[in-house]
């Protein structure tokens, strides 16, 4: 059987939105917001070459396994943790690739997300150095540098240039190196133009390379490599509380433990329903 997506009758973007909806994810819920993949690994070139495989992120691996060194560290963490019933249960990642704070941090320059972000941060913007300010540095953090950052993207990265500009002139603070936060810093190939960034980024999503490899990422997020032995093999296991359907809150009598789990899920994200 050949599906419309395989026949290229619908775009990769539409197919991903369809899968997100099937998995219960929605724009109406920051905790289960639609999740989209990082598709590029090149945020430094002057021009973007969509015919070169090196331009792209490895879609067969989760963000925690994009470099050999990082993958090794996460496997080591998994092997060191004994299987227990407490919060330090065995997993590769204690943080999630999509959560309310990740969504709000990406969209912080636009209302109502500005207010959402501040309320999640206790009423203020975060420390400037931790704010979303550069596509390149966010990729480097999530793919290589930061062991507690395995974030993926949101759909807006492929159609909404407005979220990349500080049109409302919010005072987002000043980084330690003296940089005042304003518009999001874009890769050189975008020429400082959010519209060009979105155009090229969407072209990357719809490129032949991504079309040929996207099913591998879908397996990790929505498919059979989401949990169980296939997930362990793929270095793709998350804290047990992220698997909402695996935690039976009705059987947990202790109200403190129950509220802790609910708080954990609401703050740190949830694995989509398997489709």
């Amino acid at each position: 059987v050949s599906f419309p997506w395989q026949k290229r009758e619908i775009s990769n973007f539409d197919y991903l939105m369809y899968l997100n909806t099937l998995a219960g994810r929605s724009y109406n819920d920051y905790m289960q917001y639609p999740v989209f993949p990082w598709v590029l690994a090149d945020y430094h070139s002057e021009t973007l070459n969509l015919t070169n495989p090196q331009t792209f992120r490895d879609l067969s691996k989760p963000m925690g396994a994009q470099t050999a060194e990082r993958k090794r560290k996460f496997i080591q963490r998994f092997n060191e943790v004994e299987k227990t019933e407490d919060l330090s249960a065995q997993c590769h990642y204690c943080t999630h690739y999509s959560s309310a704070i990740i969504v709000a941090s990406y969209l912080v320059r636009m209302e109502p997300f500005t207010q959402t972000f501040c309320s999640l941060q206790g009423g203020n913007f975060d420390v400037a150095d931790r704010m979303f300010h550069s596509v390149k540095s966010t990729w480097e953090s999530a793919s290589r540098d930061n062991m507690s950052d395995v974030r993926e993207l949101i759909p807006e990265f492929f159609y909404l240039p407005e979220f990349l500009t500080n049109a409302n002139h919010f005072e987002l603070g000043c980084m330690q190196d003296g940089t005042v936060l304003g518009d999001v810093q874009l890769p050189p190939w975008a020429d400082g133009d959010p519209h060009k960034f979105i155009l090229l980024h969407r072209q990357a999503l719809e490129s032949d390379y991504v079309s040929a490899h996207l099913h591998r990422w879908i397996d990790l997020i929505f498919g059979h490599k989401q949990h169980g032995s296939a997930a362990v093999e793929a270095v793709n296991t998350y804290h047990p509380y992220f698997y909402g359907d695996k935690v039976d809150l009705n059987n947990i009598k202790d109200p403190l433990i129950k509220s802790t789990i609910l708080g954990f899920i609401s703050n740190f994200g949830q694995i989509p329903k398997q489709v």
Side-chain angles (χ1 to χ4, degrees), residues 40 48-53 55-56 200 203-205 207-209:
L40 293 172
L48 195 59
N49 181 358
L50 296 180
T51 61
N52 179 3
T55 299
F56 297 92
L200 290 172
Q203 285 176 2
L205 178 65
S207 67
D208 289 342
Y209 180 90

Side-chain angles (χ1 to χ4, degrees), residues 148-271:
S148 62
D149 182 3
V150 291
R151 77 185 70 185
E152 293 278 7
L153 298 182
I154 54 175
E156 285 82 352
F157 272 85
F158 300 94
Y159 69 81
L160 190 72
E162 286 78 10
F163 88 96
L164 298 164
T165 61
N166 186 21
N168 292 319
H169 306 294
F170 291 119
E171 292 188 13
L172 302 170
C174 186
M175 293 169 64
Q176 285 182 339
D177 66 3
T179 307
V180 177
L181 258 56
D183 297 346
V184 176
Q185 292 169 13
L186 302 174
W189 45 259
D191 296 329
D193 180 350
H195 289 84
K196 185 171 182 183
F197 172 82
I198 295 291
L199 176 71
L200 290 172
H201 203 216
R202 183 65 172 265
Q203 285 176 2
L205 178 65
E206 304 299 341
S207 67
D208 289 342
Y209 180 90
V210 171
S211 297
H213 295 87
L214 187 58
H215 65 283
R216 293 167 178 253
W217 182 83
I218 290 167
D219 286 343
L220 295 169
I221 307 297
F222 300 106
H224 74 287
K225 292 184 179 175
Q226 197 191 67
H227 54 248
S229 58
V232 174
E233 207 174 303
V235 194
N236 193 42
T237 65
Y238 298 82
H239 193 283
Y241 289 171
F242 295 146
Y243 299 86
D245 55 341
K246 301 278 181 292
V247 180
D248 187 358
L249 290 170
N250 297 325
N251 282 339
I252 296 170
K253 300 290 180 265
D254 187 326
L256 185 63
I257 293 176
K258 189 180 274 194
S259 69
T260 300
I261 294 172
L262 283 169
F264 198 93
I265 294 166
S266 65
N267 285 321
F268 298 110
Q270 227 173 328
I271 302 286

